[in-house]
Amino acid sequence: MGDNKITSLVKYDTPVLVTTKKKDQEEQVPQLTMQGGIPTDTSEVSSTSAPGLSGPLPAGGPLGTTPAATLMLPPLHQLRKKGTEEILNMILPPREWEENGQLWVQSVSTTPATSVDVQQLQEHLDLRLQEQAAFETGICPVRRQLYTQCFDELIRQVTINCAERGLLLYRVRDEIRETLDAYQRLYTSSCAYGVRKALMVFLFLLSHSY
């Protein structure tokens, strides 16, 4: 595999080759069957798979981006029956990308973190903030993305030691995301409203100036 250009503050395992596309299969239409009233892709996948994956790959988005929709997790009493690796893959879905006709998947690491790892996480966060010239105050998408990655890594570390605590942090993370998105929509709407009102006043004054 070539140089993996996907970087994140979240600790991931080594990428795993899932399948290699052949030229005559690039345009192949996925085979869908109805399972429980839901269309499911039953196309054959290589036996080489990422750890903890079974069935269709979860939607991790291009280059590991998180889907816009909030992930609905099963009830807590059902999650207790699952292993730590499964819970981590639900909270932080494996990311996937295609390179030279090959599909690669990378799952979050299940290695417990030490105090040294936490210190390195803080150092990497400060370094990325400096390298990407993130604003120290105000609205800054770069700073928000880096802190989101840092929080995801903390969730990963906590979930390995205590799944219940990690799931609670996952809820806190999504609540913060929804609140920030609501403020952003409100800000955009108010800006558009202000521009419309200013334009109306300008047209009114222009019409009465003649």
Side-chain angles (χ1 to χ4, degrees), residues 5-22:
K5 298 181 181 180
I6 303 178
T7 58
S8 174
L9 293 176
V10 183
K11 187 175 182 179
Y12 281 84
D13 288 328
T14 304
V16 177
L17 176 63
V18 175
T19 182
T20 302
K21 290 186 177 180
K22 298 180 181 179

mmCIF file of all heavy atoms in Angstrom, residues 5-22:
data_model
loop_
_atom_site.group_PDB
_atom_site.id
_atom_site.type_symbol
_atom_site.label_atom_id
_atom_site.label_comp_id
_atom_site.label_asym_id
_atom_site.label_seq_id
_atom_site.Cartn_x
_atom_site.Cartn_y
_atom_site.Cartn_z
ATOM 1 N N LYS A 5 -2.285 8.862 3.585
ATOM 2 C CA LYS A 5 -2.338 10.285 3.831
ATOM 3 C C LYS A 5 -3.438 10.654 4.816
ATOM 4 O O LYS A 5 -3.671 11.816 5.072
ATOM 5 C CB LYS A 5 -2.547 11.025 2.501
ATOM 6 C CG LYS A 5 -1.410 10.802 1.505
ATOM 7 C CD LYS A 5 -1.658 11.561 0.232
ATOM 8 C CE LYS A 5 -0.528 11.327 -0.770
ATOM 9 N NZ LYS A 5 -0.732 12.048 -2.050
ATOM 10 N N ILE A 6 -4.133 9.662 5.329
ATOM 11 C CA ILE A 6 -5.201 9.929 6.281
ATOM 12 C C ILE A 6 -4.589 10.070 7.662
ATOM 13 O O ILE A 6 -4.006 9.130 8.189
ATOM 14 C CB ILE A 6 -6.247 8.798 6.269
ATOM 15 C CG1 ILE A 6 -6.797 8.620 4.862
ATOM 16 C CG2 ILE A 6 -7.375 9.090 7.229
ATOM 17 C CD1 ILE A 6 -7.794 7.503 4.736
ATOM 18 N N THR A 7 -4.686 11.237 8.251
ATOM 19 C CA THR A 7 -4.126 11.474 9.567
ATOM 20 C C THR A 7 -5.232 11.883 10.514
ATOM 21 O O THR A 7 -6.189 12.547 10.138
ATOM 22 C CB THR A 7 -3.058 12.571 9.514
ATOM 23 O OG1 THR A 7 -3.641 13.771 8.983
ATOM 24 C CG2 THR A 7 -1.896 12.147 8.622
ATOM 25 N N SER A 8 -5.094 11.489 11.760
ATOM 26 C CA SER A 8 -6.089 11.819 12.768
ATOM 27 C C SER A 8 -5.440 11.688 14.136
ATOM 28 O O SER A 8 -4.451 10.955 14.308
ATOM 29 C CB SER A 8 -7.309 10.888 12.664
ATOM 30 O OG SER A 8 -8.209 11.112 13.726
ATOM 31 N N LEU A 9 -5.989 12.421 15.099
ATOM 32 C CA LEU A 9 -5.511 12.285 16.470
ATOM 33 C C LEU A 9 -6.014 10.989 17.102
ATOM 34 O O LEU A 9 -5.493 10.559 18.130
ATOM 35 C CB LEU A 9 -5.965 13.483 17.295
ATOM 36 C CG LEU A 9 -5.335 14.841 16.917
ATOM 37 C CD1 LEU A 9 -5.948 15.960 17.742
ATOM 38 C CD2 LEU A 9 -3.834 14.803 17.104
ATOM 39 N N VAL A 10 -7.027 10.379 16.511
ATOM 40 C CA VAL A 10 -7.545 9.104 17.004
ATOM 41 C C VAL A 10 -6.578 7.993 16.620
ATOM 42 O O VAL A 10 -6.083 7.948 15.485
ATOM 43 C CB VAL A 10 -8.943 8.812 16.434
ATOM 44 C CG1 VAL A 10 -9.502 7.518 17.015
ATOM 45 C CG2 VAL A 10 -9.885 9.966 16.721
ATOM 46 N N LYS A 11 -6.293 7.106 17.549
ATOM 47 C CA LYS A 11 -5.352 6.021 17.303
ATOM 48 C C LYS A 11 -6.042 4.888 16.553
ATOM 49 O O LYS A 11 -7.062 4.365 17.006
ATOM 50 C CB LYS A 11 -4.778 5.498 18.625
ATOM 51 C CG LYS A 11 -3.652 4.481 18.442
ATOM 52 C CD LYS A 11 -3.048 4.093 19.781
ATOM 53 C CE LYS A 11 -1.898 3.115 19.605
ATOM 54 N NZ LYS A 11 -1.293 2.739 20.907
ATOM 55 N N TYR A 12 -5.497 4.524 15.405
ATOM 56 C CA TYR A 12 -6.070 3.476 14.559
ATOM 57 C C TYR A 12 -5.092 2.317 14.422
ATOM 58 O O TYR A 12 -3.876 2.481 14.607
ATOM 59 C CB TYR A 12 -6.400 4.013 13.167
ATOM 60 C CG TYR A 12 -7.684 4.809 13.099
ATOM 61 C CD1 TYR A 12 -7.700 6.151 13.427
ATOM 62 C CD2 TYR A 12 -8.880 4.219 12.707
ATOM 63 C CE1 TYR A 12 -8.874 6.894 13.362
ATOM 64 C CE2 TYR A 12 -10.050 4.942 12.634
ATOM 65 C CZ TYR A 12 -10.043 6.278 12.970
ATOM 66 O OH TYR A 12 -11.211 7.005 12.916
ATOM 67 N N ASP A 13 -5.642 1.159 14.086
ATOM 68 C CA ASP A 13 -4.814 -0.008 13.781
ATOM 69 C C ASP A 13 -4.229 0.131 12.375
ATOM 70 O O ASP A 13 -4.561 1.052 11.625
ATOM 71 C CB ASP A 13 -5.639 -1.293 13.885
ATOM 72 C CG ASP A 13 -5.973 -1.652 15.329
ATOM 73 O OD1 ASP A 13 -5.152 -1.335 16.212
ATOM 74 O OD2 ASP A 13 -7.047 -2.228 15.560
ATOM 75 N N THR A 14 -3.397 -0.833 12.010
ATOM 76 C CA THR A 14 -2.823 -0.850 10.669
ATOM 77 C C THR A 14 -3.922 -1.098 9.635
ATOM 78 O O THR A 14 -4.784 -1.959 9.835
ATOM 79 C CB THR A 14 -1.763 -1.958 10.563
ATOM 80 O OG1 THR A 14 -0.779 -1.752 11.584
ATOM 81 C CG2 THR A 14 -1.101 -1.948 9.199
ATOM 82 N N PRO A 15 -3.950 -0.334 8.528
ATOM 83 C CA PRO A 15 -4.975 -0.551 7.493
ATOM 84 C C PRO A 15 -4.942 -1.978 6.963
ATOM 85 O O PRO A 15 -3.885 -2.607 6.870
ATOM 86 C CB PRO A 15 -4.606 0.466 6.405
ATOM 87 C CG PRO A 15 -3.790 1.503 7.105
ATOM 88 C CD PRO A 15 -3.044 0.782 8.200
ATOM 89 N N VAL A 16 -6.118 -2.488 6.617
ATOM 90 C CA VAL A 16 -6.253 -3.862 6.131
ATOM 91 C C VAL A 16 -6.887 -3.833 4.752
ATOM 92 O O VAL A 16 -7.867 -3.122 4.523
ATOM 93 C CB VAL A 16 -7.118 -4.701 7.095
ATOM 94 C CG1 VAL A 16 -7.319 -6.107 6.545
ATOM 95 C CG2 VAL A 16 -6.457 -4.768 8.468
ATOM 96 N N LEU A 17 -6.321 -4.598 3.827
ATOM 97 C CA LEU A 17 -6.873 -4.700 2.479
ATOM 98 C C LEU A 17 -8.124 -5.564 2.502
ATOM 99 O O LEU A 17 -8.089 -6.714 2.921
ATOM 100 C CB LEU A 17 -5.832 -5.293 1.526
ATOM 101 C CG LEU A 17 -6.302 -5.539 0.085
ATOM 102 C CD1 LEU A 17 -6.693 -4.227 -0.587
ATOM 103 C CD2 LEU A 17 -5.200 -6.243 -0.714
ATOM 104 N N VAL A 18 -9.241 -4.995 2.051
ATOM 105 C CA VAL A 18 -10.499 -5.720 2.063
ATOM 106 C C VAL A 18 -10.736 -6.416 0.739
ATOM 107 O O VAL A 18 -11.058 -7.592 0.680
ATOM 108 C CB VAL A 18 -11.677 -4.768 2.378
ATOM 109 C CG1 VAL A 18 -13.009 -5.494 2.273
ATOM 110 C CG2 VAL A 18 -11.511 -4.191 3.765
ATOM 111 N N THR A 19 -10.573 -5.698 -0.347
ATOM 112 C CA THR A 19 -10.827 -6.299 -1.657
ATOM 113 C C THR A 19 -10.076 -5.524 -2.708
ATOM 114 O O THR A 19 -9.744 -4.346 -2.524
ATOM 115 C CB THR A 19 -12.329 -6.301 -2.001
ATOM 116 O OG1 THR A 19 -12.522 -6.937 -3.272
ATOM 117 C CG2 THR A 19 -12.880 -4.894 -2.080
ATOM 118 N N THR A 20 -9.789 -6.197 -3.816
ATOM 119 C CA THR A 20 -9.142 -5.578 -4.969
ATOM 120 C C THR A 20 -10.106 -5.623 -6.136
ATOM 121 O O THR A 20 -10.572 -6.699 -6.518
ATOM 122 C CB THR A 20 -7.839 -6.306 -5.344
ATOM 123 O OG1 THR A 20 -6.960 -6.281 -4.213
ATOM 124 C CG2 THR A 20 -7.162 -5.635 -6.532
ATOM 125 N N LYS A 21 -10.407 -4.457 -6.683
ATOM 126 C CA LYS A 21 -11.338 -4.393 -7.803
ATOM 127 C C LYS A 21 -10.636 -4.778 -9.096
ATOM 128 O O LYS A 21 -9.530 -4.342 -9.380
ATOM 129 C CB LYS A 21 -11.914 -2.972 -7.938
ATOM 130 C CG LYS A 21 -12.870 -2.588 -6.825
ATOM 131 C CD LYS A 21 -13.491 -1.243 -7.118
ATOM 132 C CE LYS A 21 -14.507 -0.869 -6.057
ATOM 133 N NZ LYS A 21 -15.137 0.439 -6.323
ATOM 134 N N LYS A 22 -11.309 -5.602 -9.886
ATOM 135 C CA LYS A 22 -10.819 -5.933 -11.209
ATOM 136 C C LYS A 22 -11.447 -4.983 -12.224
ATOM 137 O O LYS A 22 -12.497 -4.410 -11.991
ATOM 138 C CB LYS A 22 -11.165 -7.387 -11.561
ATOM 139 C CG LYS A 22 -10.521 -8.401 -10.628
ATOM 140 C CD LYS A 22 -10.898 -9.806 -11.041
ATOM 141 C CE LYS A 22 -10.267 -10.838 -10.093
ATOM 142 N NZ LYS A 22 -10.634 -12.215 -10.453
#
